[in-house]
Amino acid sequence: MTGLRVRHRKTVALDGVDLDLGTGVHGLLGPNGAGKTSLIRVLATVAQPSGGRVEILGRDTAEQRGRTEVRRRLGYLPQEFGHYPGFTVREFVAYVAWLKEVPAARVPDAVADVVARVGLADRIDARIRTLSGGMVRRVGIAQALVNEPGVLLLDEPTAGLDPEQRVEFRELLRELGTSATVLVSTHLVEDVAAACTEVTLLDAGRIAYRGTPRSLSELGEVSDGPGDHPIERGYTAALRAHRAPGARESVR
C-alpha cells in the first residue's frame, strides 16, 4: 500500500497509509474508528480507495483484471460474513470453493480438510442454522481457507470463540503464516502477542506504530500506563506518543 486514502463522505478513514506486508502473521490493532476495517475491505477488493495504490500478489488492484486474479488467491473473513443458513457446512464451504474457482476434482478434499482444521469435522453435514455462534465463526474461517490463499484477511476472527478454541486458532495462524501473508484485525492484544510476527497500530487513519509484538511489549515494560500485560501498556503508550503534540507519524 502506498499513500492509501479512504474517505467515507466527510470522514477520512485512512489518510496516506504506506504499508508493505510479507509472509507471516501481521496483527492490526487500533481503537474503534481507527480505520482497521476500511483497510481490510480495500485489501479484500470489496471497497475502492479514494487515493493511493494497492498491489497484492504482484497485481495492481486498480485494474479489473488484477482484482479478478487477486480474488482467486485471497481468503477473507469480514466481521459479519454472509451465509446461507439452510446450507450444510459442507455445502457452504464447497460453494465458496466454487466461487474461488478451485478445480472441481479438488473441492471435496479441500472442504473436508479446512473443516477439520477448524474443529468441525463432526458437524460437516449439519445445517448452519443449527450451529452455535462460535461454530458459525469457525465456518467463516474455513471458507476463508478453502482456496489455500496466498493472502488471508481476517477481521475480528476470534469473536465468539471460547478460550480453548482461541488457543487452537492461534496455532493455526502460526502454521498459515509460514507460507502466506496473514493480516488479522483484532481488539485482543493477547492474540497478537501469541500468534503474530509483526504488529501495526492504526489511529485516526494513520500508522501510529509498526514493529514486533516483543518491541511493543518492551515499550509497555517501561510505561506506567493502564493494562495487565506489557503489550497492553505498550499499546497505550504507542497511542499516547502518536497523539502527542509534534509527534512523528510513526513510532518504532
Side-chain angles (χ1 to χ4, degrees):
M1 292 151 273
T2 306
L4 181 61
R5 290 179 58 85
V6 173
R7 178 183 289 274
H8 302 305
R9 296 184 179 179
K10 296 182 179 181
T11 302
V12 176
L14 294 172
D15 187 12
V17 171
D18 297 325
L19 195 57
D20 187 9
L21 304 176
T23 301
V25 184
H26 305 268
L28 186 62
L29 294 172
N32 291 331
K36 301 187 300 299
T37 293
S38 293
L39 177 59
I40 293 279
R41 285 175 54 82
V42 167
L43 295 181
T45 73
V46 298
Q48 290 292 316
S50 306
R53 185 172 183 271
V54 179
E55 183 180 291
I56 302 175
L57 298 169
R59 300 294 181 181
D60 188 344
T61 60
E63 303 170 358
Q64 178 60 49
R65 182 175 178 180
R67 289 195 298 273
T68 299
E69 293 185 9
V70 163
R71 286 168 183 162
R72 295 192 187 104
R73 301 176 59 195
L74 194 73
Y76 174 44
L77 175 64
Q79 287 189 35
E80 296 183 7
F81 77 100
H83 60 277
Y84 298 98
F87 275 27
T88 66
V89 174
R90 188 194 305 272
E91 289 168 342
F92 178 70
V93 179
Y95 172 64
V96 175
W98 173 75
L99 291 176
K100 297 289 187 179
E101 301 183 11
V102 176
R106 286 178 45 206
V107 169
D109 287 344
V111 170
D113 176 61
V114 295
V115 171
R117 291 172 85 180
V118 300
L120 289 175
D122 61 335
R123 304 303 300 273
I124 192 168
D125 290 314
R127 298 200 182 278
I128 295 177
R129 65 168 170 253
T130 68
L131 303 180
S132 67
M135 288 180 179
V136 172
R137 198 65 181 162
R138 284 187 277 164
V139 173
I141 296 168
Q143 63 82 29
L145 299 177
V146 72
N147 60 326
E148 298 182 0
V151 173
L152 180 61
L153 307 169
L154 303 171
D155 198 352
E156 300 291 345
T158 58
L161 301 186
D162 64 34
E164 182 181 8
Q165 291 164 356
R166 283 175 53 201
V167 170
E168 293 171 349
F169 178 67
R170 292 169 188 167
E171 294 175 355
L172 177 59
L173 281 183
R174 289 191 290 266
E175 175 192 336
L176 295 168
T178 62
S179 59
T181 300
V182 183
L183 182 61
V184 184
S185 173
T186 181
H187 284 97
L188 302 173
V189 293
E190 57 268 34
D191 286 344
V192 170
C196 296
T197 52
E198 194 171 51
V199 58
T200 299
L201 173 57
L202 287 180
D203 184 39
R206 296 191 174 197
I207 295 177
Y209 183 88
R210 182 97 188 274
T212 65
R214 178 182 290 275
S215 65
L216 192 58
S217 290
E218 291 172 348
L219 186 62
E221 288 171 356
V222 296
S223 169
D224 59 357
D228 298 325
H229 190 284
I231 198 169
E232 293 178 335
R233 295 193 294 274
Y235 169 91
T236 301
L239 283 178
R240 289 175 175 175
H242 178 250
R243 294 168 179 172
R248 295 181 302 170
E249 180 176 305
S250 178
V251 179
R252 199 172 183 91

